[in-house]
Amino acid sequence: MSRLTVLYFASLRDAAGVAEEIVETEAADLAGLYQALRARHGFALPRERLRVAVDGAFACWGDAPRAGSEVAFIPPVSGG
């Protein structure tokens, strides 16, 4: 089991009700982590619409979560 800090932005932050949280996960990859958090918080955005970063660098959805890491889920940015 890995303990991670997860950061949420924009609509994900609104849905989760927090900007960050500590989670314990057994997910094999970052995609699985997002799916579990999506089910918990009711995120509307599918994974394909997001970017994921680990410890400040963009990552691949197939990467395994590393204990102690900071994972950020980044939704598309609307501009104007």
Side-chain angles (χ1 to χ4, degrees):
M1 182 156 308
S2 297
R3 184 182 196 132
L4 311 166
T5 300
V6 179
L7 306 179
Y8 302 113
F9 299 96
S11 63
L12 299 179
R13 180 184 58 234
D14 294 342
V18 294
E20 71 178 63
E21 68 178 329
I22 305 295
V23 299
E24 298 276 343
T25 184
E26 292 184 10
D29 56 24
L30 296 171
L33 172 63
Y34 180 71
Q35 279 307 112
L37 294 171
R38 187 178 186 199
R40 180 190 306 172
H41 294 300
F43 297 146
L45 290 172
R47 173 175 59 92
E48 295 77 20
R49 303 260 332 264
L50 304 173
R51 297 287 308 265
V52 62
V54 176
D55 296 329
F58 285 115
C60 297
W61 288 105
D63 293 348
R66 295 185 313 268
S69 290
E70 182 179 80
V71 177
F73 295 113
I74 307 163
V77 178
S78 60

